[in-house]
Amino acid sequence: MGRWEPNARGRLVQAAMELYGERGYEQTTVAEIASRAGLTERTFFRHFADKREVLFWGGGELQELLVSSVADAPDSTAPIDAVAAAFEAAAAQLQERREHSRQRQAIIAANAELRERELIKLESFASALADALRLRGVADTAASLAAEAGVAVFKIAFVRWLATGQPDFPQLIRESFDELKALTAGAGVT
Amino acid sequence: MGRWEPNARGRLVQAAMELYGERGYEQTTVAEIASRAGLTERTFFRHFADKREVLFWGGGELQELLVSSVADAPDSTAPIDAVAAAFEAAAAQLQERREHSRQRQAIIAANAELRERELIKLESFASALADALRLRGVADTAASLAAEAGVAVFKIAFVRWLATGQPDFPQLIRESFDELKALTAGAGVT
């Protein structure tokens, strides 16, 4: 096989997701992923450091999108609204790959190590968002609070997006931030 | 040595915290902890499953306190306020062991595996709080949002409590919930 393989990355991701779903993440080897994709292990390692990275490589890109969204928000935007806009932008991007997100979530839910890794990714989002808010001049604690609350909303909206038929993920993000606002204003007494 | 050792548990915790601080968590063995405490390894394992549990055994108790606080809140209490009251109760308990909390936090911050375990503990708090709110009749998403937002506030207030001279942790929890309320109402524009 030649050095260049058309859409090698996409084929590897597809093969890995299939195998993780069929036989479990633990039981799948890099050799099997490469074989299923019709590629060599060497090609796999040109694209990914290990089999876990197939599930997490998009996180860095998403984090950059979150940070740049906060940085680009108009000066008059309240911190919580800058964070909401950032997650709306992230949701618009994730929405293009709903089936991939759904498969990925099922694989992660089935493995303790992957769940931990996912929590660390979200922690990293919160930390990066808080830093981005501080760069806008938001006070230290307010920045951390807005960022962490934003991640909390995102986590819940993400689960709802995959669990329900609602296809408009950015809309779900907006609704969930509105719900947080209502809750902190004292709503929800039964 | 006899089967019963006066305050064996407390001596083991003390010895472990000292050793984790002096030479690092990774580098410390159970044998060394037992020896420093003047006890046998067998006694150690009568109290803890492994050296990690020395740092996390209090989590289950704290979670029970959180859940029972939510369950015991008056019917008229809004979900976010029930969660705030639960973390106030937890803070009152943690406050009695500020120096232990500070040492523990430094040990956890220095080790990736422990940081992951700590995130999982907080995730478990959020899940248990959401379940407790649902038992009060709070709607599914509202329960998850209030619980996750509460954990976010707790995380930040906890760091502030240890980093600042402010000794009144429950007061910091109250202030932080108030700050979240202000932020979600649009405060913080610089």
Side-chain angles (χ1 to χ4, degrees), chain B residues 48-80:
Chain B
F48 301 104
D50 52 37
K51 66 176 182 173
R52 201 176 68 174
E53 208 200 324
V54 180
L55 296 165
F56 289 97
W57 66 273
E61 210 178 294
L62 214 55
Q63 184 165 313
E64 280 170 33
L65 176 62
L66 291 170
V67 166
S68 65
S69 299
V70 166
D72 294 346
D75 285 349
S76 60
T77 309
I80 195 73

mmCIF file of all heavy atoms in Angstrom, chain B residues 48-80:
data_model
loop_
_atom_site.group_PDB
_atom_site.id
_atom_site.type_symbol
_atom_site.label_atom_id
_atom_site.label_comp_id
_atom_site.label_asym_id
_atom_site.label_seq_id
_atom_site.Cartn_x
_atom_site.Cartn_y
_atom_site.Cartn_z
ATOM 1 N N PHE B 48 -8.776 -0.236 55.752
ATOM 2 C CA PHE B 48 -8.833 0.307 54.387
ATOM 3 C C PHE B 48 -8.511 -0.782 53.364
ATOM 4 O O PHE B 48 -7.646 -1.629 53.613
ATOM 5 C CB PHE B 48 -7.813 1.446 54.232
ATOM 6 C CG PHE B 48 -8.028 2.582 55.185
ATOM 7 C CD1 PHE B 48 -7.215 2.741 56.302
ATOM 8 C CD2 PHE B 48 -9.059 3.485 54.976
ATOM 9 C CE1 PHE B 48 -7.423 3.786 57.187
ATOM 10 C CE2 PHE B 48 -9.276 4.532 55.864
ATOM 11 C CZ PHE B 48 -8.454 4.689 56.969
ATOM 12 N N ALA B 49 -9.176 -0.698 52.217
ATOM 13 C CA ALA B 49 -8.939 -1.690 51.159
ATOM 14 C C ALA B 49 -7.559 -1.501 50.526
ATOM 15 O O ALA B 49 -6.907 -2.465 50.136
ATOM 16 C CB ALA B 49 -10.025 -1.588 50.089
ATOM 17 N N ASP B 50 -7.129 -0.257 50.421
ATOM 18 C CA ASP B 50 -5.826 0.034 49.816
ATOM 19 C C ASP B 50 -5.414 1.455 50.197
ATOM 20 O O ASP B 50 -6.138 2.141 50.918
ATOM 21 C CB ASP B 50 -5.883 -0.126 48.277
ATOM 22 C CG ASP B 50 -7.023 0.679 47.672
ATOM 23 O OD1 ASP B 50 -7.300 1.798 48.166
ATOM 24 O OD2 ASP B 50 -7.642 0.209 46.714
ATOM 25 N N LYS B 51 -4.250 1.882 49.725
ATOM 26 C CA LYS B 51 -3.743 3.184 50.167
ATOM 27 C C LYS B 51 -4.562 4.352 49.605
ATOM 28 O O LYS B 51 -4.554 5.441 50.154
ATOM 29 C CB LYS B 51 -2.255 3.340 49.818
ATOM 30 C CG LYS B 51 -1.926 3.407 48.342
ATOM 31 C CD LYS B 51 -0.428 3.669 48.153
ATOM 32 C CE LYS B 51 -0.093 3.780 46.686
ATOM 33 N NZ LYS B 51 1.286 4.184 46.418
ATOM 34 N N ARG B 52 -5.286 4.105 48.502
ATOM 35 C CA ARG B 52 -6.119 5.163 47.946
ATOM 36 C C ARG B 52 -7.330 5.431 48.827
ATOM 37 O O ARG B 52 -7.782 6.579 48.970
ATOM 38 C CB ARG B 52 -6.572 4.775 46.532
ATOM 39 C CG ARG B 52 -6.997 5.962 45.708
ATOM 40 C CD ARG B 52 -7.342 5.583 44.293
ATOM 41 N NE ARG B 52 -8.539 4.772 44.213
ATOM 42 C CZ ARG B 52 -9.123 4.401 43.085
ATOM 43 N NH1 ARG B 52 -8.598 4.767 41.924
ATOM 44 N NH2 ARG B 52 -10.203 3.664 43.084
ATOM 45 N N GLU B 53 -7.858 4.372 49.430
ATOM 46 C CA GLU B 53 -9.077 4.536 50.233
ATOM 47 C C GLU B 53 -8.862 5.451 51.435
ATOM 48 O O GLU B 53 -9.819 6.030 51.955
ATOM 49 C CB GLU B 53 -9.595 3.168 50.679
ATOM 50 C CG GLU B 53 -11.110 3.165 50.884
ATOM 51 C CD GLU B 53 -11.578 2.020 51.754
ATOM 52 O OE1 GLU B 53 -11.004 0.920 51.672
ATOM 53 O OE2 GLU B 53 -12.525 2.244 52.544
ATOM 54 N N VAL B 54 -7.610 5.565 51.887
ATOM 55 C CA VAL B 54 -7.324 6.470 53.009
ATOM 56 C C VAL B 54 -7.764 7.895 52.656
ATOM 57 O O VAL B 54 -8.194 8.657 53.517
ATOM 58 C CB VAL B 54 -5.821 6.445 53.360
ATOM 59 C CG1 VAL B 54 -5.517 7.381 54.528
ATOM 60 C CG2 VAL B 54 -5.358 5.036 53.676
ATOM 61 N N LEU B 55 -7.677 8.230 51.379
ATOM 62 C CA LEU B 55 -8.035 9.577 50.931
ATOM 63 C C LEU B 55 -9.517 9.724 50.583
ATOM 64 O O LEU B 55 -10.017 10.838 50.484
ATOM 65 C CB LEU B 55 -7.192 9.960 49.703
ATOM 66 C CG LEU B 55 -5.686 10.069 49.935
ATOM 67 C CD1 LEU B 55 -4.940 10.089 48.611
ATOM 68 C CD2 LEU B 55 -5.359 11.315 50.753
ATOM 69 N N PHE B 56 -10.207 8.607 50.363
ATOM 70 C CA PHE B 56 -11.564 8.712 49.831
ATOM 71 C C PHE B 56 -12.671 8.112 50.699
ATOM 72 O O PHE B 56 -13.836 8.206 50.343
ATOM 73 C CB PHE B 56 -11.614 8.084 48.427
ATOM 74 C CG PHE B 56 -10.905 8.913 47.401
ATOM 75 C CD1 PHE B 56 -9.597 8.641 47.036
ATOM 76 C CD2 PHE B 56 -11.537 10.011 46.830
ATOM 77 C CE1 PHE B 56 -8.931 9.435 46.114
ATOM 78 C CE2 PHE B 56 -10.884 10.808 45.907
ATOM 79 C CZ PHE B 56 -9.573 10.513 45.544
ATOM 80 N N TRP B 57 -12.292 7.515 51.838
ATOM 81 C CA TRP B 57 -13.322 6.841 52.624
ATOM 82 C C TRP B 57 -14.416 7.793 53.110
ATOM 83 O O TRP B 57 -15.555 7.411 53.296
ATOM 84 C CB TRP B 57 -12.700 6.102 53.813
ATOM 85 C CG TRP B 57 -12.085 7.024 54.814
ATOM 86 C CD1 TRP B 57 -10.824 7.513 54.790
ATOM 87 C CD2 TRP B 57 -12.711 7.607 55.951
ATOM 88 N NE1 TRP B 57 -10.614 8.356 55.847
ATOM 89 C CE2 TRP B 57 -11.759 8.434 56.571
ATOM 90 C CE3 TRP B 57 -13.991 7.500 56.508
ATOM 91 C CZ2 TRP B 57 -12.058 9.169 57.721
ATOM 92 C CZ3 TRP B 57 -14.283 8.242 57.653
ATOM 93 C CH2 TRP B 57 -13.312 9.059 58.244
ATOM 94 N N GLY B 58 -14.078 9.077 53.307
ATOM 95 C CA GLY B 58 -15.072 10.021 53.813
ATOM 96 C C GLY B 58 -16.132 10.406 52.786
ATOM 97 O O GLY B 58 -17.161 10.980 53.133
ATOM 98 N N GLY B 59 -15.886 10.085 51.516
ATOM 99 C CA GLY B 59 -16.796 10.496 50.443
ATOM 100 C C GLY B 59 -18.190 9.909 50.571
ATOM 101 O O GLY B 59 -19.190 10.589 50.331
ATOM 102 N N GLY B 60 -18.257 8.648 50.977
ATOM 103 C CA GLY B 60 -19.554 7.989 51.091
ATOM 104 C C GLY B 60 -20.413 8.639 52.168
ATOM 105 O O GLY B 60 -21.607 8.872 51.983
ATOM 106 N N GLU B 61 -19.761 8.955 53.283
ATOM 107 C CA GLU B 61 -20.448 9.601 54.397
ATOM 108 C C GLU B 61 -20.975 10.987 53.982
ATOM 109 O O GLU B 61 -22.106 11.366 54.275
ATOM 110 C CB GLU B 61 -19.439 9.768 55.531
ATOM 111 C CG GLU B 61 -19.991 9.739 56.915
ATOM 112 C CD GLU B 61 -18.836 9.868 57.913
ATOM 113 O OE1 GLU B 61 -17.988 8.943 57.979
ATOM 114 O OE2 GLU B 61 -18.759 10.907 58.583
ATOM 115 N N LEU B 62 -20.108 11.728 53.274
ATOM 116 C CA LEU B 62 -20.479 13.068 52.817
ATOM 117 C C LEU B 62 -21.669 12.980 51.852
ATOM 118 O O LEU B 62 -22.595 13.796 51.915
ATOM 119 C CB LEU B 62 -19.276 13.703 52.114
ATOM 120 C CG LEU B 62 -19.097 15.207 52.245
ATOM 121 C CD1 LEU B 62 -19.048 15.639 53.692
ATOM 122 C CD2 LEU B 62 -17.815 15.651 51.531
ATOM 123 N N GLN B 63 -21.631 11.979 50.978
ATOM 124 C CA GLN B 63 -22.728 11.819 50.024
ATOM 125 C C GLN B 63 -24.044 11.522 50.740
ATOM 126 O O GLN B 63 -25.086 12.069 50.377
ATOM 127 C CB GLN B 63 -22.381 10.693 49.044
ATOM 128 C CG GLN B 63 -23.434 10.528 47.956
ATOM 129 C CD GLN B 63 -22.916 9.673 46.812
ATOM 130 O OE1 GLN B 63 -21.803 9.863 46.308
ATOM 131 N NE2 GLN B 63 -23.713 8.705 46.392
ATOM 132 N N GLU B 64 -23.971 10.703 51.777
ATOM 133 C CA GLU B 64 -25.194 10.415 52.554
ATOM 134 C C GLU B 64 -25.739 11.674 53.213
ATOM 135 O O GLU B 64 -26.943 11.893 53.271
ATOM 136 C CB GLU B 64 -24.912 9.364 53.628
ATOM 137 C CG GLU B 64 -24.902 7.948 53.080
ATOM 138 C CD GLU B 64 -24.384 6.944 54.103
ATOM 139 O OE1 GLU B 64 -24.609 7.152 55.317
ATOM 140 O OE2 GLU B 64 -23.737 5.966 53.674
ATOM 141 N N LEU B 65 -24.819 12.511 53.697
ATOM 142 C CA LEU B 65 -25.238 13.769 54.310
ATOM 143 C C LEU B 65 -25.920 14.674 53.279
ATOM 144 O O LEU B 65 -26.952 15.293 53.554
ATOM 145 C CB LEU B 65 -24.009 14.469 54.916
ATOM 146 C CG LEU B 65 -24.234 15.846 55.533
ATOM 147 C CD1 LEU B 65 -25.206 15.772 56.701
ATOM 148 C CD2 LEU B 65 -22.898 16.447 56.009
ATOM 149 N N LEU B 66 -25.350 14.751 52.086
ATOM 150 C CA LEU B 66 -25.942 15.561 51.016
ATOM 151 C C LEU B 66 -27.356 15.072 50.694
ATOM 152 O O LEU B 66 -28.309 15.857 50.614
ATOM 153 C CB LEU B 66 -25.073 15.484 49.750
ATOM 154 C CG LEU B 66 -23.696 16.156 49.809
ATOM 155 C CD1 LEU B 66 -22.868 15.792 48.575
ATOM 156 C CD2 LEU B 66 -23.830 17.670 49.913
ATOM 157 N N VAL B 67 -27.485 13.769 50.528
ATOM 158 C CA VAL B 67 -28.773 13.190 50.145
ATOM 159 C C VAL B 67 -29.812 13.387 51.245
ATOM 160 O O VAL B 67 -30.952 13.785 50.977
ATOM 161 C CB VAL B 67 -28.596 11.681 49.818
ATOM 162 C CG1 VAL B 67 -29.941 10.974 49.754
ATOM 163 C CG2 VAL B 67 -27.841 11.521 48.504
ATOM 164 N N SER B 68 -29.403 13.168 52.501
ATOM 165 C CA SER B 68 -30.389 13.308 53.574
ATOM 166 C C SER B 68 -30.772 14.777 53.776
ATOM 167 O O SER B 68 -31.910 15.076 54.124
ATOM 168 C CB SER B 68 -29.885 12.674 54.871
ATOM 169 O OG SER B 68 -28.750 13.360 55.342
ATOM 170 N N SER B 69 -29.834 15.694 53.520
ATOM 171 C CA SER B 69 -30.167 17.122 53.625
ATOM 172 C C SER B 69 -31.224 17.512 52.599
ATOM 173 O O SER B 69 -32.164 18.254 52.908
ATOM 174 C CB SER B 69 -28.926 17.987 53.400
ATOM 175 O OG SER B 69 -27.944 17.719 54.373
ATOM 176 N N VAL B 70 -31.066 17.024 51.367
ATOM 177 C CA VAL B 70 -32.063 17.320 50.328
ATOM 178 C C VAL B 70 -33.402 16.702 50.704
ATOM 179 O O VAL B 70 -34.455 17.334 50.587
ATOM 180 C CB VAL B 70 -31.579 16.811 48.948
ATOM 181 C CG1 VAL B 70 -32.725 16.787 47.939
ATOM 182 C CG2 VAL B 70 -30.436 17.692 48.432
ATOM 183 N N ALA B 71 -33.359 15.473 51.186
ATOM 184 C CA ALA B 71 -34.602 14.780 51.545
ATOM 185 C C ALA B 71 -35.331 15.513 52.670
ATOM 186 O O ALA B 71 -36.562 15.558 52.699
ATOM 187 C CB ALA B 71 -34.291 13.339 51.954
ATOM 188 N N ASP B 72 -34.560 16.096 53.606
ATOM 189 C CA ASP B 72 -35.155 16.720 54.785
ATOM 190 C C ASP B 72 -35.563 18.177 54.582
ATOM 191 O O ASP B 72 -36.149 18.781 55.480
ATOM 192 C CB ASP B 72 -34.160 16.659 55.964
ATOM 193 C CG ASP B 72 -33.900 15.225 56.419
ATOM 194 O OD1 ASP B 72 -34.681 14.339 56.011
ATOM 195 O OD2 ASP B 72 -32.927 14.988 57.146
ATOM 196 N N ALA B 73 -35.227 18.767 53.425
ATOM 197 C CA ALA B 73 -35.577 20.174 53.209
ATOM 198 C C ALA B 73 -37.094 20.340 53.174
ATOM 199 O O ALA B 73 -37.801 19.444 52.709
ATOM 200 C CB ALA B 73 -34.962 20.657 51.888
ATOM 201 N N PRO B 74 -37.599 21.460 53.703
ATOM 202 C CA PRO B 74 -39.053 21.689 53.678
ATOM 203 C C PRO B 74 -39.596 21.611 52.248
ATOM 204 O O PRO B 74 -38.889 21.923 51.293
ATOM 205 C CB PRO B 74 -39.197 23.113 54.234
ATOM 206 C CG PRO B 74 -37.936 23.362 55.000
ATOM 207 C CD PRO B 74 -36.865 22.550 54.353
ATOM 208 N N ASP B 75 -40.848 21.174 52.122
ATOM 209 C CA ASP B 75 -41.456 21.004 50.801
ATOM 210 C C ASP B 75 -41.399 22.271 49.957
ATOM 211 O O ASP B 75 -41.304 22.213 48.739
ATOM 212 C CB ASP B 75 -42.936 20.601 50.961
ATOM 213 C CG ASP B 75 -43.061 19.144 51.398
ATOM 214 O OD1 ASP B 75 -42.037 18.426 51.358
ATOM 215 O OD2 ASP B 75 -44.175 18.730 51.772
ATOM 216 N N SER B 76 -41.462 23.402 50.622
ATOM 217 C CA SER B 76 -41.544 24.663 49.885
ATOM 218 C C SER B 76 -40.177 25.132 49.364
ATOM 219 O O SER B 76 -40.073 26.175 48.726
ATOM 220 C CB SER B 76 -42.126 25.750 50.793
ATOM 221 O OG SER B 76 -41.267 25.903 51.911
ATOM 222 N N THR B 77 -39.116 24.377 49.666
ATOM 223 C CA THR B 77 -37.767 24.791 49.277
ATOM 224 C C THR B 77 -37.550 24.550 47.780
ATOM 225 O O THR B 77 -37.818 23.456 47.277
ATOM 226 C CB THR B 77 -36.715 23.989 50.071
ATOM 227 O OG1 THR B 77 -37.038 24.057 51.459
ATOM 228 C CG2 THR B 77 -35.321 24.533 49.834
ATOM 229 N N ALA B 78 -37.052 25.571 47.082
ATOM 230 C CA ALA B 78 -36.717 25.408 45.663
ATOM 231 C C ALA B 78 -35.550 24.432 45.528
ATOM 232 O O ALA B 78 -34.692 24.362 46.419
ATOM 233 C CB ALA B 78 -36.347 26.758 45.059
ATOM 234 N N PRO B 79 -35.501 23.669 44.417
ATOM 235 C CA PRO B 79 -34.434 22.668 44.241
ATOM 236 C C PRO B 79 -33.038 23.245 44.456
ATOM 237 O O PRO B 79 -32.222 22.645 45.159
ATOM 238 C CB PRO B 79 -34.636 22.206 42.791
ATOM 239 C CG PRO B 79 -36.081 22.410 42.516
ATOM 240 C CD PRO B 79 -36.485 23.619 43.308
ATOM 241 N N ILE B 80 -32.754 24.402 43.886
ATOM 242 C CA ILE B 80 -31.405 24.961 44.008
ATOM 243 C C ILE B 80 -31.085 25.289 45.467
ATOM 244 O O ILE B 80 -29.930 25.149 45.906
ATOM 245 C CB ILE B 80 -31.221 26.220 43.102
ATOM 246 C CG1 ILE B 80 -29.735 26.569 42.949
ATOM 247 C CG2 ILE B 80 -32.014 27.415 43.620
ATOM 248 C CD1 ILE B 80 -28.947 25.653 42.064
#
